[in-house]
């Protein structure tokens, strides 16, 4: 597995927009098209494709919002692995690669995400990596989780 992150652009837009999760996961995340539309309205968002070599396997969207909290918050707000690529270890690997990218790009030790409390598979994945619930709930009713990148393995490649 050789995961890389590529910015969403005209060259990869078609293959990224075609990504779909399993039907039983559709209530947990917006479609890629909805994410891209949201990113077009807010320049903070960074939509990206997740690739194993040249094969598209997933999508993520992240941002830094300086107006949140004392010094701003970095969000790993959207993450999906396409239905046909699930169960192959891409989810965990993608989160780890994304955490490194977020640290390099923004320099923040604390990274946030949100998850519905009945999304047990995602919660187990995030907890395995080191995310913990913060006790906060977002505007859509999702529970916030955060990781503190104190450990070098999350920062370095």
């Amino acid at each position: 597995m050789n995961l890389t992150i590529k910015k969403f652009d005209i060259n990869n837009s078609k293959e990224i927009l075609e990504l779909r999760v399993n039907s039983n996961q559709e209530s947990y995340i917006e479609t890629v098209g909805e994410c891209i539309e949201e990113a077009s309205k807010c320049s903070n968002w960074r939509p990206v494709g997740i690739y194993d070599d040249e094969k598209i396997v997933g999508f993520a969207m992240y941002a830094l919002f300086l107006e949140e909290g004392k010094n701003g918050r970095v969000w790993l707000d959207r993450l999906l692995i396409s239905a046909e690529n699930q169960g192959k270890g891409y989810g965990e690997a993608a989160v780890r690669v994304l955490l490194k990218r977020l640290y390099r790009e923004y320099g923040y030790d604390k990274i946030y995400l949100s998850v519905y409390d009945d999304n047990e598979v995602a919660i187990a994945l995030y907890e395995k990596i080191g995310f913990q619930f913060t006790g906060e709930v977002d505007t859509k009713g999702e529970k916030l989780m955060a990781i503190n990148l104190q450990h070098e393995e999350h920062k370095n490649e």
Side-chain angles (χ1 to χ4, degrees):
M1 187 178 306
N2 181 32
L3 290 191
T4 57
I5 306 298
K6 297 180 184 177
K7 180 181 175 184
F8 176 87
D9 62 24
I10 192 71
N11 299 313
N12 61 12
S13 60
K14 185 179 185 314
E15 65 188 3
I16 291 176
L17 286 165
E18 291 175 351
L19 293 171
R20 301 283 183 271
V21 294
N22 285 314
S23 59
N24 66 336
Q25 298 168 320
E26 290 174 352
S27 64
Y28 294 132
I29 188 168
E30 295 81 354
T31 67
V32 175
E34 290 168 330
C35 294
I36 298 303
E37 183 178 331
E38 187 176 340
S40 73
K41 296 175 183 174
C42 176
S43 63
N44 293 39
W45 290 119
R46 303 286 183 261
V48 295
I50 302 165
Y51 290 81
D52 186 358
D53 288 321
E54 295 303 313
K55 175 182 142 186
I56 183 79
V57 297
F59 170 81
M61 197 161 86
Y62 60 87
L64 166 61
F65 289 99
L66 290 171
E67 67 278 5
E68 291 186 19
K70 184 177 176 185
N71 298 308
R73 285 185 175 183
V74 174
W75 285 88
L76 174 53
D77 196 66
R78 312 284 162 75
L79 172 67
L80 70 84
I81 302 299
S82 63
E84 65 274 9
N85 289 299
Q86 292 183 12
K88 300 177 181 178
Y90 286 123
E92 181 177 350
V95 172
R96 293 186 186 282
V97 167
L98 285 159
L99 288 174
K100 290 172 188 168
R101 182 181 183 117
L102 294 173
Y103 183 77
R104 280 194 317 267
E105 193 165 327
Y106 300 117
Y108 281 58
D109 283 326
K110 201 163 193 179
I111 309 296
Y112 292 84
L113 58 79
S114 60
V115 63
Y116 288 106
D117 60 2
D118 64 341
N119 191 347
E120 296 171 2
V121 173
I123 291 169
L125 169 67
Y126 297 140
E127 288 181 332
K128 177 181 180 183
I129 291 168
F131 281 87
Q132 298 177 336
F133 286 103
T134 67
E136 298 171 87
V137 178
D138 75 7
T139 58
K140 292 188 272 180
E142 293 180 77
K143 292 186 176 180
L144 272 56
M145 297 183 85
I147 188 169
N148 193 329
L149 303 179
Q150 296 172 0
H151 304 290
E152 289 299 314
E153 75 264 12
H154 293 298
K155 295 180 182 180
N156 299 322
E157 293 192 280

